[in-house]
Each structure stands twice: as structure tokens, then as C-alpha cells.
Amino acid sequence: MTSTNSRRQFFAGAAASVAGLAVARSALAGLPEPVIQTSVETAPPLVPTTGRPYNPVVTLNGWTLPWRMNDGVKEFHLVAEPVVREVSPGFKVNMWGYNGQSPGPTIEVVEGDRVRIFVTNKLPEHTTIHWHGQRLPSGMDGVGGLTQRAIPVGKTYVYEFEARRPGTFMYHPHADEMVQMAMGMMGMWVTHPKTRHPHISAVDRDFCFLLNAFDVEPGSKTPKINTMTDFNIWCWNSRVFPAIDTLNVRLNDRVRIRIGNLTMTNHPIHLHGHEFLVTGTDGGPTPPSTRWYEVTTDVAVGQMRQIELIADEEGDWAMHCHKSHHTMNAMGHDVPTMIGVDHRGLVKKIQKVAPDYMMMGERGMADMGEMQMAIPDNTAPMMTGTGQFGPLEMGGMFTVFKVRKDQQPGDYKDPGPYKFPEGTVAYEWNGVPPPAPRPASSSDTTPATAKAIKPTAKGMSH
Ligand SMILES: [Cu+2]
């Protein structure tokens, strides 16, 4: 640890001796050049050119942070800073993140790698980074006040440890945590096994993403940071459907999907058309004897889940959080249920006072997906997305797992809508209905009745 301590003193000294912009330059001299990325596209896997080889992951609507090798140590440079994230086209949110984005870049290393991470704080307040799930010296755990002094504004601190066990991890601040996570500060970390691991299979595609949530009032640009549970923007990597990229794979690929949850509630993640095994948790790869097949796995707050499957059914398969209000974008929750309400005549009366008034919801909410209602600037429609058969009426934590025969290995491009083979799509039935079977003895066709309790001027009476 002596090298870390002397470095820290060096940076503190350099920053104290020079003023203004020169401070930053001087303090950053000798650091790995920070790599900044602002594109919302899913970056192709970063194949390692230095260090030990591994099979890289693909971060949905994200990217992997390049590093430099310095005397056998992998050096990364994370810059904590305000960023603007396009959550979906036409909806940009002022967030805090790392290296130009929220979430920050994925960090990929190999089990046994010595890792040195420089963290420069360009936020308006102090921060730290906690390396969620890692085995490391206590002083590198990044808990402000407990294991280190928080990184002051404008300063660079160094974290240095060995990536001791393979698995899926996350990173996030442990200083003013509620605010900094509500603003989008988080990232993924993948430690690949150094050799064939008995509980880690080689896969053809390896995806990762974080579940995160924001509370952004429609029409505004900055998340409300004091929200406890009632968030309204449910994201995968700070994107919402249909702006979340699809997971595109080749028929019969073995696919791994790594999911971390840094929201304030759990998310049952559900995949259509395939069964999967949970092959890893926060604690690393699970022993095969403990695995069972599922189609939904609950990812609780602060947890990571790694699922694996053989993509052996061609098609467009929905993949989403099974809490149906998490597959919606910003919506008002204080709206009364209108199903079954006879409002004929009422709308005209209201429109005399408020000419733009529309009545919705009396037949369900599907109208929301069909009509292009005017919405405030800078927000995402509540139910949106269009497929080859019409509106999907989705939003938030939803995307499509696309399995295609002709998706080339290494090709992650969206192949477009699935071409359904003739005669394999649910169809309208136009025949003559057969007589409905009825029990021979029953002749009573009177509908059931219910007694209503009506309020009177005096109170309730029958
Ligand atoms: Cu959810």
C-alpha cells in the first residue's frame, strides 16, 4: 500500500501548490487520459489488446472503460461529473455519472489482476466509490468517513486492489449516497475467470446492464433526489423502452445476461420463450447443484443476478420487469379507475370549461398507446413503442430478446422485426361457433342479482 499512500500525498501536494485550471492539469499529469463517451449506442465488445485475454461483455446502451498497463497493473481513470443522459429520444435528463455518462462505463478485468483506479471528482460536492461485492482491503472499500476521507471537489484519489474473485459486481458512491445514486452515479464491474472455472461456462454472448430509476417530473430536466420509493422513470442503464437496445443473438447461442439492481425496489425480470438458470449472484458463480430453471428471477435492491440460457427458439421475445407499472413511463398514480364509468354527457359539460379535456380509461388504457396525445416537453410517453402489428403499449424496463438463425457471431446489430413463418401467428377465428355445452339438468337462466346499499339523507339504509 506504500505506493498508494505516496501517490495520494503527491496528488494532494500538487493540488495545494498550484491554483486554478493549472491545478487540474498538474494533478492529472501522469494519470491515464480519461476516456469520455457520450454516445447512447451499445458499444461493441472491447476485445482486450493488453493484459490477459478474456471474452468481453456487451453493456446495453453503454461501453467498457479502456485501461493502460503500467508495470503489470491495470490502470483506469474514472471521472465523476455532471452529465446529460438521453433517457429516450426527446427526453434528456441532467444526471451525475462517470466519464460522460450515467451509468458509468463497465470495468472489465481478469481474476488476479492488480487494478489501480484513479477517481477524479468533478462534481459540485465530495464523493467516493464503493466497489460493491469485491474482496479487497478495508481501506479500499470506498465508504466515506468510515474507510477513507471523501474525495473533495477537484481532487483525484486512487483505489488499488487485486480482483480476487470472478463475478458480476457494481460500483457506486458511498458519500451522500441517496442523492448521488438518485442522480445516476453507478456502473458495472465484471471480473472474468483467469482459467476455465468449473462453475462458469464459456458463452457466445455476454450482456450486462443495471436497473436504475429516477423521479423526473414531466416537463422538468433534473431528478428529484428526495424521492424514497415513488420513482416514475424505470430504466435499464438510464434508458427506457423503446430506447433500450434489443439483445440480438444467433439461434442456439449460449447467452449470459448479468443484471444489477441499484433502484430502491425489487424487479422480477422475466424472459419470454426460454427457461434460464441463475448461474451467479452477488457472491459469485453458483454451484450447478443449486441451480433450477426459471422464466422470472427477482433481482432485489443491491443484488446482482447472472442468468444463462440456450437461445433455441427463433423469434422476437419480450424481456421485461414483471411489475407492470415498471413497464410504463412517467404517469400520474392519483388517477381514479374509469373502467365501467358511464361518462356520456359529462365530457361535453367539462369541455365547456376546459376545451382540451379528454376522457380516457373508461375501456382500459390501451388508447394511450394508440393516440399521440400532446405531452409536456422533455418527457417520455407513458405507453409507447410500435411493433409490426401495432402499438406495444409499454415503456420503462422492457426490451426484446431477438433470436435469429442468420445473426452472425460477433454481430450485435438489430436484425429488425422477426419474419414469422406462414401460419405461426395468432389469428382471428371466423367460423360458426359450435353449440356451447350446458349441463342437461340446468334450466335456470336467470342472471345473478346483487342488493345495492344506497345512501340516503339520513345515512345508509337498505
Ligand atoms: Cu421492476
Side-chain angles (χ1 to χ4, degrees), residues 79-81 95-98 102-104 123 127-128 171-173 179-187 214 262:
V79 179
E81 58 184 355
M95 297 186 185
W96 290 356
Y98 300 95
S102 162
L123 295 172
T127 191
T128 65
Y171 64 88
H172 62 81
V179 168
Q180 297 191 5
M181 300 226 304
M183 289 294 286
M185 300 196 71
M186 53 192 71
F214 299 91
L262 288 176

Side-chain angles (χ1 to χ4, degrees), residues 65 76-81 97-99 104-105 107 117-121 123 126-132 134 136 138-144 147-151 157-161 170-175 180 185-187 189:
L65 187 62
F76 296 88
H77 190 177
L78 282 173
V79 179
E81 58 184 355
Y98 300 95
N99 300 49
I107 292 179
I117 307 138
F118 299 88
V119 180
T120 299
N121 182 8
L123 295 172
H126 71 202
T127 191
T128 65
I129 300 187
H130 164 57
W131 313 98
H132 189 116
Q134 303 273 2
L136 36 62
S138 181
M140 291 293 157
D141 199 38
V143 180
T147 66
Q148 68 167 92
R149 191 185 155 206
I151 309 169
Y157 271 44
V158 183
Y159 294 90
E160 191 165 335
F161 54 91
M170 309 187 273
Y171 64 88
H172 62 81
H174 228 296
Q180 297 191 5
M185 300 196 71
M186 53 192 71
W189 176 303

Side-chain angles (χ1 to χ4, degrees), residues 426-438:
Y427 57 95
E428 183 182 353
W429 185 72
N430 285 314
V432 181
R438 298 208 190 280

Side-chain angles (χ1 to χ4, degrees), residues 211 234 236 261 263 265-269 298-299 320-327 397:
L211 310 171
W234 300 100
W236 290 359
N261 180 0
T263 72
T265 188
N266 61 317
H267 301 281
I269 300 298
D298 196 23
V299 190
H320 58 95
C321 173
H322 219 287
K323 288 186 175 173
S324 47
H325 57 292
H326 291 178
T327 51
M397 295 176 156

Side-chain angles (χ1 to χ4, degrees), residues 418-430:
Y418 181 55
K419 289 187 188 68
F420 294 88
E422 187 79 22
T424 65
V425 174
Y427 57 95
E428 183 182 353
W429 185 72
N430 285 314

